[in-house]
Amino acid sequence: MSSEMIIRRYRPSDQDVVTDLWSRAARQAHPFLDGEGAGERARLLREVDLVRAENWVAERKGSVIGLLGLRVDGPGDGNGPGAEVGGLFVAPEAQGGGAGRELLEHAAALHGALTLEVFEGNARGRRFCAYLGFTERGRRTDEETGHPLITLERAAPLKSVGWLHLREGRLLSVRTRGNDTFYLPGGKYEPGETAREALSRELGEELGLVVPAEELSEECVIHDVAHGKNGRRLHMTCFTGGPQDIAPVPGREIAEYAWFDRQEARERCAPAHAQVVDRLVAQGRMRG
């Protein structure tokens, strides 16, 4: 069975395993709360939160290892008014494996901006949120427990598309005029475009290439810090496909293009390139 993580909707049949992982994770995160992970809190989870919230789970090798509960007001198209994270819990034995990050990035892809509250005493949770770009918006005292809560927020990620095109183990990259950093060919969506349509258009504008949208196949989604955007997050959908033998003709915004090996890409390209390169090396498509 694949070791890849799957993010999917919560199902009623998940209740027992989700309640168990929530209980263990909550006790670990909030040892300062009497009765955490049991009693009335457990009842509210089963009868209210798992019924009324928009719930998602992270699954690996057939086992549910994480739970995310959202309170939302708008459509899940990434352009709505955002969402409030009501709860994020990862089984203690699975922590550090990326489940929490993937769940939050999934929520951001669906709803855009995110807000959440974390207990001041939950130092690990606060560090995790800071790592993912959340900043403090306010504080209050929790009426039920008397403990201070910190309200955190994060702007909607910048959504873009990128093309993974290799020649003899080297990755095609482009540099815009007035910029020293190279990026994957691609860019931002225009209103009404699908990801494939956006990339097809960008490849024509940037490199003079005709790559029909239907020839593009989604390869992966990269979450990272957007280069030069003051810490804002990036959600980049990467595609392969199209012609192999190409003769790029840089458009007016492109200063140059280049084919980089692993080391050159890490030294000269935007941060998201590192994840792309690591994937390609793991697949044997670039030399390590």
Side-chain angles (χ1 to χ4, degrees):
M1 190 172 290
S2 173
S3 62
E4 288 293 319
M5 192 178 307
I6 296 171
I7 306 298
R8 63 165 175 81
R9 284 272 193 176
Y10 164 84
R11 297 190 289 256
S13 59
D14 298 320
Q15 185 186 94
D16 289 346
V17 68
V18 159
T19 301
D20 175 67
L21 78 81
W22 163 82
S23 178
R24 292 184 291 119
R27 288 198 302 269
Q28 181 188 70
H30 309 142
F32 45 85
L33 298 183
D34 293 336
E36 178 66 314
E40 180 65 9
R41 287 179 176 272
R43 185 190 70 79
L44 289 174
L45 174 76
R46 292 191 302 268
E47 298 180 9
V48 179
D49 297 335
L50 293 179
V51 175
R52 298 180 183 177
E54 178 183 303
N55 293 296
W56 297 86
V57 299
E59 182 180 282
R60 177 176 278 149
K61 294 184 178 179
S63 297
V64 174
I65 58 173
L67 169 69
L68 172 73
L70 298 172
R71 303 184 185 102
V72 300
D73 295 321
D77 59 3
N79 300 307
E84 178 184 355
V85 178
L88 174 65
F89 300 93
V90 176
E93 66 274 13
Q95 290 178 10
R101 177 178 60 84
E102 289 298 323
L103 282 164
L104 281 178
E105 297 295 2
H106 180 75
L110 287 175
H111 301 292
L114 299 176
T115 61
L116 59 83
E117 288 188 314
V118 60
F119 280 105
E120 185 178 47
N122 183 0
R124 183 174 183 177
R126 290 168 58 192
R127 289 194 299 270
F128 170 73
C129 292
Y131 171 72
L132 289 181
F134 284 84
T135 58
E136 183 174 335
R137 189 178 73 183
R139 294 180 177 234
R140 70 180 181 90
T141 299
D142 182 39
E143 294 181 0
E144 180 182 353
T145 66
H147 286 267
L149 283 165
I150 302 173
T151 302
L152 303 173
E153 63 182 1
R154 196 182 80 173
L158 295 172
K159 299 182 71 173
S160 70
V161 289
W163 194 39
L164 306 184
H165 192 81
L166 291 152
R167 176 179 291 175
E168 297 179 353
R170 289 176 172 268
L171 182 63
L172 177 63
S173 304
V174 297
R175 180 176 66 83
T176 57
R177 299 188 186 280
N179 197 332
D180 293 332
T181 303
F182 282 78
Y183 303 84
L184 290 177
K188 300 176 183 178
Y189 297 66
E190 289 189 354
E193 285 184 327
T194 66
R196 287 178 174 80
E197 290 168 347
L199 182 54
S200 176
R201 173 185 52 76
E202 287 283 354
L203 292 176
E205 294 174 357
E206 291 187 348
L207 297 172
L209 301 176
V210 178
V211 182
E214 58 269 20
E215 293 185 11
L216 296 168
S217 299
E218 183 173 333
E219 174 81 9
C220 61
V221 176
I222 299 297
H223 304 290
D224 211 315
V225 177
H227 182 257
K229 299 296 182 180
N230 297 317
R232 191 168 176 184
R233 301 292 294 183
L234 172 71
H235 176 103
M236 179 170 65
T237 306
C238 298
F239 293 86
T240 57
Q244 290 303 302
D245 295 325
I246 61 172
V249 179
R252 62 182 182 181
E253 295 183 358
I254 302 301
E256 62 177 320
Y257 66 88
W259 304 85
F260 289 139
D261 63 19
R262 177 178 180 269
Q263 187 62 35
E264 292 167 328
R266 285 187 172 275
E267 291 175 352
R268 304 189 65 184
C269 297
H273 262 65
Q275 288 193 54
V276 170
V277 169
D278 287 346
R279 285 174 176 268
L280 295 173
V281 169
Q283 295 168 356
R285 296 160 67 185
M286 290 184 76
R287 291 188 294 274

